Amino acid sequence: MEPLIQIKNIHKIYNPGENEVRALDGVDLEIGYGEFVGIIGHSGSGKSTLMNMLGCLDTPTSGRYYLKGQDVSQLSDNQLSDIRNREIGFIFQGFNLIANLDALSNVELPLVYRGIPKKERKRLASLALTKVGLGKRMNHKPNELSGGQQQRVAVARAVAAQPPIILADEPTGNLDTKSTREIMDILKGLHKSGRTVIIITHDDDIAREVDRVVRIIDGKVEADYRQNTGKPSPAVYRKVPVPFSMESVSDKESS
Amino acid sequence: MEQFFEYVKMALDNIMANKGRSFLTMLGIIIGITSVVTIVSIGNGLKADVLDAANDQNNTFTIQINPEETTDTELVKTEDLSFLKDTLADSISSIYVSAYSNSNCKVSTRKGSYDCAPVLTTQDYENAQYTSPVILGKYFTENDVLSGMPVCVIDELTALYLFGNTDVIGMNFEMALNNSIQYLTIVGVRETSEEFLEAEKQYLAMGMDESISIEMPYTLSQVFGEPIDGFSSLSITVKDQEHAARISQLAVNILNSRHQSQGDNLFMKQRSIDLTDMFGPIMDGVTAFVALVAAISLVVGGIGVMNIMLVSVTERTREIGIRKALGARTGSIITQFLCESAIITGLGGIIGILLGAGLTALITALGIGGIKASLSLPAVIVATLFSCSVGIIFGIYPAKKAAALSPIEALRRM
């Protein structure tokens, strides 16, 4: 069975020519269903560029990216939008909630873009918020919530549409120790429930909690190893059980 | 479609989240639409006034003896008048004949004596065009005319000149005409309008004579030794302007056939100038010009909207990035931003129409310049469509700019 994510010899070059910056310089990476991966690197190492590639936010200069076996490296903007919507849940360092929408509406957004009817959307969004412990704060605006609570809203938003991949970019970078613990516990829970969770971080404490570490230096994979004994190695590829049918509604917006 | 309403809701949310700014953005459109609606409505009112006045004149035509075929003996007789009156009764509102004396005429009371030009006519003159209603007493009758009674109808102003008050029914005054002096009894008084009084003041100030208005049976001319047995012209006012041409031709034909001995062209009709044709295009031109000026103000308002939307796109770069990361397509972002500018301008348009309607009503109520402004439905429709299209046209550029943002660029900006 093909891996969930398969990256083959990807390059990303900014300013091609004399002052070119090789943000990614021939990266190969495979991530299977249900893995818990930490992509670790210092700032400028290329880990953010890698995260943009993985998240289908950017296209590589050369190389191939197969997501669920589909080559997504040369898709159009709109096709990438659809892939992001269906396959990936983003969690950002700066939370990236929309300020004038309340928690519920923020969580609903990816469901809106998927074209899910209002009633179902509200149900899924409030379910996701309840799961992250914010069932009683659904109608609060982001500025009425603490940093940890805002990040939990962002997590709810990432999981509401049930994407197979959760991509978290420095998810605890702006949080205190207690909130960091909460968010890490939630991410671990997501992994346990069968989702593929990828955390991008420079924080070694966070790196210690994941099953697999991919260390990036100067745009290259410097190390790729498994840790935390008791886990099967090599990676086990398995399908995520999807709790409701996304396929039936996934193409509503294609018009 | 349901998806479209989602974008409308997003746009509304954002407008409501920035109420103050949204209102200021609308202001340009509001002012533009208000002025378009108000000005076009005032123009409409003016045009209607002018055309009404013109139509009044168009209802009336005069039939004259053709000077080229005239003989001293052939004139419109009172028998012709009654025949036409009976024949055309259904389609005319008034028909009358009138004549003026060729000699000097002077009227005197204890208060003074005045020059005048009495109208010599029949009882039908009561409803002649441009005359005011008889408000005291009544008009002289057919019998008065047949028997040549020394009676007359004057107006309030004349009553004031002759007697100092308007309670003058039954009073007598002296009339010197054609070297003969007779006493006339007043049987009716016509109203004098405010406007006429105003005009009279100005005439007097300019050194003109007092306006003395006297109408009396034409048969009295015999008493004064200058008998009239016919009239050189006859005026008809039709009820419906559309039939004026047909009825005037009919009247001419009847008169010509009644005076057969004189050939077919004895009578000819004369109509007042067609003011509708003259003023219609002028008024349309003025309205179009003013609407053009107003349209320019709308374009300026539209540019204001574009400006604010561009600022908004820059400000909301991050939001756009988030939306794109979450799966918004180019079309979704464009739709959202277009909805926003269309709603802002559309709302501005509605407010402008309401204000314009209010101003129109106010101007009419206050009677500024005597204008009866009437709200123009086409202006309202055009204004609405125009403001919405301004929103969409000037919204396209910012919306495209927003949608073209790359999600990573947009997210990178903190």
Side-chain angles (χ1 to χ4, degrees):
Chain A
M1 189 182 187
E2 76 221 352
L4 175 61
I5 287 171
Q6 192 172 23
I7 280 178
K8 287 186 172 169
N9 194 25
I10 275 199
H11 288 80
K12 182 69 183 182
I13 300 166
Y14 295 107
N15 304 328
E18 280 183 30
N19 293 323
E20 69 178 23
V21 178
R22 290 176 168 261
L24 291 178
D25 195 7
V27 173
D28 290 291
L29 186 65
E30 278 188 16
I31 297 173
Y33 287 93
E35 281 203 74
F36 191 18
V37 184
I39 295 175
I40 320 290
H42 296 293
S43 68
S45 61
K47 67 177 193 305
S48 291
T49 310
L50 182 58
M51 127 103 194
N52 290 339
M53 294 296 153
L54 290 172
C56 295
L57 291 166
D58 204 355
T59 49
T61 312
S62 68
R64 288 276 176 264
Y65 174 14
Y66 298 94
L67 182 63
K68 281 183 167 175
Q70 183 192 4
D71 183 1
V72 297
S73 37
Q74 305 300 329
L75 292 181
S76 73
D77 281 356
N78 279 342
Q79 287 169 320
L80 288 176
S81 286
D82 291 351
I83 299 245
R84 287 196 293 271
N85 184 261
R86 217 175 324 149
E87 312 292 351
I88 300 159
F90 288 97
I91 301 167
F92 301 97
Q93 179 176 3
F95 319 137
N96 279 351
L97 300 176
I98 291 175
N100 59 35
L101 298 180
D102 63 17
L104 188 67
S105 304
N106 264 294
V107 176
E108 275 183 68
L109 269 184
L111 304 166
V112 170
Y113 290 121
R114 196 177 295 193
I116 291 176
K118 192 171 181 179
K119 219 174 157 190
E120 175 69 357
R121 207 166 68 206
K122 296 256 180 234
R123 191 184 71 79
L124 290 173
S126 42
L127 187 71
L129 276 170
T130 311
K131 277 189 177 167
V132 297
L134 290 175
K136 290 185 175 158
R137 298 185 183 268
M138 294 198 215
N139 298 315
H140 288 235
K141 295 267 174 79
N143 61 8
E144 297 161 347
L145 297 169
S146 73
Q149 287 170 330
Q150 288 187 54
Q151 193 62 305
R152 280 191 274 157
V153 174
V155 172
R157 182 178 65 186
V159 301
Q162 308 281 2
I165 305 169
I166 303 292
L167 202 53
D169 184 13
E170 301 278 12
T172 58
N174 286 8
L175 298 178
D176 58 33
T177 326
K178 182 169 166 278
S179 302
T180 298
R181 196 63 260 147
E182 285 171 4
I183 295 298
M184 285 314 294
D185 287 345
I186 292 173
L187 290 175
K188 279 184 173 171
L190 287 171
H191 165 237
K192 283 211 181 72
S193 73
R195 279 202 190 70
T196 306
V197 178
I198 304 170
I199 300 177
I200 290 93
T201 185
H202 67 277
D203 185 342
D204 289 336
D205 290 339
I206 301 297
R208 269 192 279 281
E209 309 211 20
V210 299
D211 295 348
R212 176 182 168 193
V213 173
V214 177
R215 198 171 288 278
I216 305 284
I217 291 176
D218 294 337
K220 292 189 167 85
V221 177
E222 189 253 2
D224 183 352
Y225 57 91
R226 286 167 202 285
Q227 57 187 18
N228 300 347
T229 51
K231 295 283 172 186
S233 178
V236 171
Y237 302 148
R238 58 196 161 97
K239 268 275 188 195
V240 186
V242 176
F244 61 91
S245 170
M246 287 313 246
E247 302 310 315
S248 57
V249 287
S250 60
D251 283 320
K252 278 269 172 68
E253 214 198 345
S254 36
S255 55
Chain B
M1 200 59 205
E2 204 191 333
Q3 196 68 12
F4 176 72
F5 285 120
E6 291 302 329
Y7 301 135
V8 173
K9 195 184 158 290
M10 286 177 193
L12 275 176
D13 281 345
N14 199 67
I15 289 170
M16 293 312 287
N18 297 295
K19 288 192 196 73
R21 172 196 282 196
S22 302
F23 176 74
L24 287 175
T25 312
M26 266 179 226
L27 207 54
I29 299 291
I30 293 176
I31 292 170
I33 294 285
T34 306
S35 35
V36 172
V37 170
T38 312
I39 288 167
V40 174
S41 297
I42 289 175
N44 256 16
L46 283 176
K47 190 172 164 187
D49 279 358
V50 170
L51 292 188
D52 271 358
N55 279 342
D56 258 9
Q57 299 220 332
N58 275 343
N59 286 344
T60 299
F61 54 86
T62 304
I63 295 172
Q64 285 184 316
I65 305 282
N66 189 338
E68 285 170 21
E69 306 218 359
T70 192
T71 62
D72 290 340
T73 53
E74 280 302 322
L75 290 165
V76 178
K77 304 286 188 185
T78 47
E79 292 79 25
D80 295 328
L81 179 66
S82 6
F83 183 83
L84 281 175
K85 196 161 82 172
D86 291 344
T87 315
L88 304 174
D90 289 341
S91 39
I92 61 177
S93 57
S94 86
I95 178 167
Y96 62 89
V97 289
S98 61
Y100 293 91
S101 166
N102 292 324
S103 315
N104 284 337
C105 178
K106 217 172 190 54
V107 291
S108 323
T109 60
R110 251 171 278 162
K111 290 206 67 162
S113 89
Y114 303 91
D115 285 329
C116 73
V119 178
L120 297 159
T121 184
T122 69
Q123 71 280 358
D124 297 304
Y125 195 75
E126 179 173 1
N127 298 315
Q129 209 190 9
Y130 301 132
T131 55
S132 308
V134 175
I135 52 166
L136 288 169
K138 54 186 183 349
Y139 213 76
F140 49 80
T141 61
E142 186 176 4
N143 275 336
D144 293 334
V145 176
L146 289 176
S147 54
M149 289 292 282
V151 292
C152 69
V153 172
I154 62 175
D155 69 356
E156 287 181 297
L157 181 65
T158 306
L160 287 174
Y161 282 134
L162 295 181
F163 300 100
N165 66 69
T166 57
D167 187 18
V168 294
I169 300 300
M171 304 265 240
N172 298 316
F173 62 88
E174 190 185 283
M175 175 179 279
L177 175 64
N178 198 28
N179 299 326
S180 167
I181 294 177
Q182 296 289 333
Y183 282 91
L184 298 186
T185 306
I186 300 166
V187 293
V189 177
R190 284 193 193 271
E191 185 185 50
T192 300
S193 68
E194 290 287 332
E195 289 88 357
F196 192 87
L197 280 179
E198 279 302 312
E200 177 77 359
K201 275 183 201 158
Q202 289 174 15
Y203 290 149
L204 290 180
M206 286 156 66
M208 296 171 94
D209 287 343
E210 295 84 354
S211 305
I212 300 293
S213 157
I214 297 171
E215 296 157 28
M216 58 194 199
Y218 78 98
T219 44
L220 271 179
S221 60
Q222 192 147 23
V223 182
F224 284 103
E226 192 189 52
I228 293 175
D229 52 3
F231 302 86
S232 62
S233 72
L234 170 147
S235 295
I236 296 177
T237 303
V238 294
K239 285 176 181 162
D240 189 345
Q241 194 205 331
E242 280 177 41
H243 300 137
R246 186 174 59 80
I247 290 170
S248 60
Q249 191 54 51
L250 186 61
V252 166
N253 291 348
I254 290 171
L255 286 172
N256 275 328
S257 77
R258 285 175 65 89
H259 294 256
Q260 231 162 11
S261 55
Q262 296 300 321
D264 288 341
N265 296 319
L266 179 60
F267 294 97
M268 59 180 203
K269 58 183 168 167
Q270 195 179 45
R271 222 174 146 190
S272 28
I273 311 161
D274 201 333
L275 290 172
T276 321
D277 292 349
M278 220 169 85
F279 283 109
I282 298 176
M283 294 304 295
D284 284 342
V286 170
T287 308
F289 171 74
V290 171
L292 182 76
V293 173
I296 291 172
S297 79
L298 274 180
V299 171
V300 173
I303 291 171
V305 172
M306 177 160 71
N307 224 334
I308 297 291
M309 291 306 293
L310 279 175
V311 171
S312 172
V313 167
T314 312
E315 267 188 4
R316 288 156 67 193
T317 300
R318 198 168 177 77
E319 175 196 326
I320 296 160
I322 297 168
R323 288 181 184 276
K324 288 195 108 177
L326 296 180
R329 292 179 169 193
T330 311
S332 318
I333 302 286
I334 289 186
T335 312
Q336 184 191 342
F337 274 77
L338 271 190
C339 282
E340 218 172 298
S341 47
I343 290 170
I344 285 179
T345 47
L347 222 68
I350 290 169
I351 296 174
I353 287 166
L354 293 178
L355 281 179
L359 263 179
T360 304
L362 191 70
I363 288 170
T364 308
L366 294 179
I368 298 167
I371 296 167
K372 287 188 208 73
S374 62
L375 195 62
S376 149
L377 189 65
V380 167
I381 293 170
V382 169
T384 314
L385 291 180
F386 196 89
S387 63
C388 284
S389 30
V390 159
I392 290 169
I393 290 166
F394 288 100
I396 286 175
Y397 175 55
K400 283 202 148 179
K401 209 178 158 199
L405 281 171
S406 120
I408 33 170
E409 280 297 320
L411 283 171
R412 193 173 292 160
R413 297 196 203 165
M414 296 294 279

